[in-house]
Amino acid sequence: MRLLPFPLAFRLLLLAALALPLALPLAMPDMAQAGHKAPDKRGILLVAFGTSVPEAVQAIDAIRQQAEAAFPGLPVRLAYSSRIIRDKLAGEGAAKKSPAQALADMAAEGFTEVAVQSLHSIPGREYSDIKATAEAFQAMPKGLRKVSVGRPLLYSHADIAKAAEAVLGFLPGHKKGEAVLLMGHGTDHPANAAYAALQLALWKRDQNIFIATVEDTPGLGEVIPELKRQGIRKVFLVPMMSVAGDHAHNDMAGKEDDSWASRLTAAGIRSEPVLVGLGSRPAVAALWIDHLRDAVKELDR
Ligand code: CO
């Protein structure tokens, strides 16, 4: 958080400074035979936001398994982009790497080209940070020669249309008087507009599917009046996030007064949570893998 006020150039420099001591020891033998380019060694780095909820990890594992199956020749590594989650896990003795640590380790292992795949939903801050990290590593002498970054789930108009199709494919069947309410994360980053675009794509097919976000707009307060207006008595609550983690278990389905389930009950609407992350939905995971395929192709250019 302390890094945020600094201009991008400083942040890139800092990243490089942090990563170099890790990358140097193994880069040394290369320097000895200057002029000889090492053969390409390609790998994949999946970057999830991360989760501190143990049972939520299976959704990330599911995407990883799809990646390993889709690219049998390429080693797949994993990093968590959230510092808060990483700090929490480190305190519990289950440390996870940051994207920069993972890339530094891959460079040290002799990888020369890495396709990084963002497992985030929208092209918000986490995604921009991954892009900046990838660029910094590419610019480093003796670093990785090429680092491409695969776009998150809801990036282009076409991506959003495909995501809507995939989501419609697994949503619980809902009768008259019932609706589905997806919980997106939400952010004050302009990419938050992706949720509105997804809502529009979903409404083209089903008027009783709604999306609201935990952290930004539309909030649940904007959706409840619409549910009431349409005479909805029951909603299925479904996380629109790679994992069904803390937000899904607490902010969505929790017992506290301010959870979505409690606020809906207070508004006279019953709810039934579906605690499954998007990563565990094969059709959605396949979209992240499609984006990874584009990132791997980009390494050829
Ligand atoms: Co959050």
Side-chain angles (χ1 to χ4, degrees):
M1 283 304 137
R2 303 254 343 234
L3 292 182
L4 283 175
F6 290 101
L8 185 62
F10 282 104
R11 296 175 61 198
L12 293 182
L13 258 172
L14 260 172
L15 262 175
L18 282 171
L20 262 179
L22 292 166
L24 269 178
L26 277 167
M28 285 306 216
D30 274 13
M31 288 174 182
Q33 28 174 288
H36 294 271
K37 227 174 96 176
D40 287 341
K41 183 179 174 187
R42 266 188 195 179
I44 287 168
L45 174 63
L46 303 178
V47 181
F49 181 81
T51 178
S52 56
V53 176
E55 63 264 37
V57 174
Q58 58 181 316
I60 298 171
D61 289 341
I63 304 173
R64 184 179 188 154
Q65 280 159 21
Q66 272 210 32
E68 282 166 347
F71 304 96
L74 303 185
V76 178
R77 302 291 156 81
L78 177 69
Y80 280 6
S81 67
S82 165
R83 167 162 293 191
I84 293 170
I85 301 282
R86 290 198 312 269
D87 286 351
K88 189 157 186 253
L89 290 174
E92 293 164 3
K96 290 281 178 204
K97 288 176 189 180
S98 69
Q101 283 165 337
L103 284 173
D105 287 353
M106 289 179 88
E109 275 182 67
F111 284 91
T112 56
E113 299 185 343
V114 180
V116 181
Q117 179 57 47
S118 150
L119 302 184
H120 303 86
S121 300
I122 59 162
R125 220 161 268 125
E126 303 293 314
Y127 176 67
S128 325
D129 286 352
I130 294 171
K131 295 274 279 185
T133 304
E135 276 156 31
F137 270 86
Q138 241 185 183
M140 228 183 294
K142 312 278 179 192
L144 297 161
R145 282 205 284 274
K146 252 181 185 174
V147 186
S148 61
V149 180
R151 58 200 195 278
L153 188 66
L154 309 172
Y155 188 82
S156 67
H157 195 65
D159 293 338
I160 289 167
K162 282 181 192 165
E165 282 303 310
V167 166
L168 285 160
F170 72 72
L171 288 182
H174 42 286
K175 304 188 285 268
K176 195 169 158 52
E178 297 180 346
V180 175
L181 177 54
L182 295 163
M183 177 191 253
H185 190 277
T187 170
D188 59 0
H189 185 283
N192 193 67
Y195 295 110
L198 178 66
Q199 176 69 87
L200 201 60
L202 292 166
W203 274 342
K204 280 185 187 164
R205 287 275 304 274
D206 188 332
Q207 299 282 312
N208 286 328
I209 301 174
F210 298 85
I211 184 160
T213 70
V214 202
E215 307 280 2
D216 209 78
T217 55
L220 181 64
E222 291 165 74
V223 176
I224 287 177
E226 188 57 26
L227 294 171
K228 285 181 140 178
R229 200 182 64 78
Q230 293 194 21
I232 300 296
R233 311 286 301 274
K234 181 190 175 179
V235 296
F236 294 92
L237 293 172
V238 178
M240 185 67 208
M241 303 182 205
S242 62
V243 300
D246 191 54
H247 286 305
H249 283 267
N250 296 315
D251 300 314
M252 188 181 89
K255 300 225 180 308
E256 300 75 23
D257 287 349
D258 58 350
S259 75
W260 284 20
S262 301
R263 288 168 65 194
L264 286 162
T265 305
I269 299 167
R270 285 187 298 130
S271 64
E272 181 178 327
V274 180
L275 292 169
V276 179
L278 292 177
S280 297
R281 307 294 190 177
V284 181
L287 296 176
W288 270 300
I289 302 302
D290 284 347
H291 296 186
L292 170 58
R293 192 166 290 112
D294 290 341
V296 170
K297 272 187 210 149
E298 208 180 304
L299 295 177
D300 292 328
R301 268 177 237 138

